[in-house]
């Protein structure tokens, strides 16, 4: 570790932002909210790969209730400008009809990904679909319905890495979250 825990990634300096302890406390809080809201139901956790897999592994073990989990991989195309488009790369392998779904994300930024995925789930007959995201950048949100029902942290519009979040595919294995030094 360098000064004050700063790290270098591809020539950029990142500073510690959310510690493993901060994250663990947020995961427990969010798990408690889900247990309370879904009491008597059996939610299906749909994890959006790749970034959310670390958060999902911790969250799923904190949720002490009957629940199932599946994984999807989505790709968004910002090139389509205002309309955008989200495609399932690795699709749903389970019937969502009548299911109460909790979509697990690492971060909701513009909300484009969640906007399209939620409407897709509704079209496929899900009974309900809510977003649970470790991080949420409210200032970047373009689609209000994509606002996470459950969010670990509301953060500014800065680039963050670690705990599943990548920089060009790397640093997902950092146990804490770092932000780009200004
Ligand atoms: P959205 O569709 O604009 O909400 O984008 C969400 C996706 O963008 C996330 O699932 C991440 O893959 C990526 N993303 C957004 N902000 C960051 C960041 O600060 N660090 C790493 N990935 C990010
Ligand atoms: Mg993602």
């Amino acid at each position: 570790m360098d000064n004050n825990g700063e790290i270098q990634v591809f020539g950029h300096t990142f500073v510690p932002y959310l510690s493993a302890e901060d994250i663990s406390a947020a995961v427990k809080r969010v798990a408690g909210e889900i247990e309370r809201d879904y009491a008597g139901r059996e939610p299906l956790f749909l994890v959006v790969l790749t970034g959310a897999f670390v958060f999902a592994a911790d969250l799923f073990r904190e949720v002490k209730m009957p629940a199932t989990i599946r994984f999807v991989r989505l790709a968004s195309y910002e090139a389509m400008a205002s309309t955008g488009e989200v495609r399932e790369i690795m699709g749903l392998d389970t019937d969502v009809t009548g299911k109460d779904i909790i979509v697990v994300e690492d971060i909701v930024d513009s909300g484009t990904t969640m906007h399209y995925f939620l409407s897709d789930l509704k079209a496929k007959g899900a009974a309900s679909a809510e977003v649970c995201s470790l991080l949420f950048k409210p200032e970047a949100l373009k689609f209000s319905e994509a606002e996470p029902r459950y969010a670990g942290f509301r953060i500014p519009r800065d680039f963050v890495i670690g705990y599943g979040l990548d920089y060009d595919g790397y640093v997902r294995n950092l146990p804490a979250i770092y932000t780009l030094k200004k």
Side-chain angles (χ1 to χ4, degrees):
M1 284 267 175
D2 297 329
N3 287 345
N4 305 314
E6 290 179 2
I7 57 169
Q8 302 294 320
V9 184
F10 296 134
H12 297 281
T13 304
F14 286 82
V15 296
Y17 183 54
L18 298 168
S19 70
E21 292 74 24
D22 294 336
I23 296 167
S24 175
V27 168
K28 287 187 169 72
R29 173 178 55 76
V30 168
E33 292 171 11
I34 290 172
E35 282 173 19
R36 183 197 63 208
D37 293 352
Y38 288 82
R41 292 187 284 170
E42 296 189 2
L44 165 61
F45 288 73
L46 278 185
V47 183
V48 182
L49 294 174
T50 301
F53 88 99
V54 177
F55 173 46
D58 285 342
L59 178 71
F60 197 59
R61 284 177 292 178
E62 285 297 333
V63 177
K64 313 283 198 260
M65 67 190 307
T68 55
I69 189 164
R70 285 284 197 285
F71 299 83
V72 294
R73 197 144 82 82
L74 310 172
S76 59
Y77 294 93
E78 298 279 322
M80 297 246 175
S82 57
T83 53
E85 186 192 321
V86 172
R87 192 163 62 93
E88 280 183 17
I89 299 253
M90 189 182 101
L92 284 170
D93 62 350
T94 189
D95 183 9
V96 298
T97 310
K99 298 259 175 70
D100 291 307
I101 292 166
I102 299 173
V103 180
V104 183
E105 257 286 29
D106 49 359
I107 186 163
V108 172
D109 191 53
S110 70
T112 306
T113 312
M114 285 303 97
H115 165 74
Y116 284 95
F117 192 50
L118 289 174
S119 62
D120 192 36
L121 290 172
K122 293 280 168 62
K124 285 177 169 148
S128 67
E130 300 286 356
V131 177
C132 175
S133 186
L134 178 68
L135 306 173
F136 173 41
K137 295 179 179 173
E139 293 158 19
L141 194 68
K142 287 194 223 152
F143 298 94
S144 58
E145 72 280 11
E147 175 165 353
R149 171 75 181 78
Y150 308 98
F153 303 92
R154 298 166 78 91
I155 66 166
R157 237 184 148 161
D158 301 321
F159 187 67
V160 292
I161 56 166
Y163 195 75
L165 293 137
D166 73 306
Y167 184 170
D168 280 351
Y170 290 86
V171 298
R172 294 190 196 276
N173 50 340
L174 288 169
I177 293 175
Y178 293 74
T179 189
L180 192 59
K181 187 174 184 176
K182 291 187 179 142

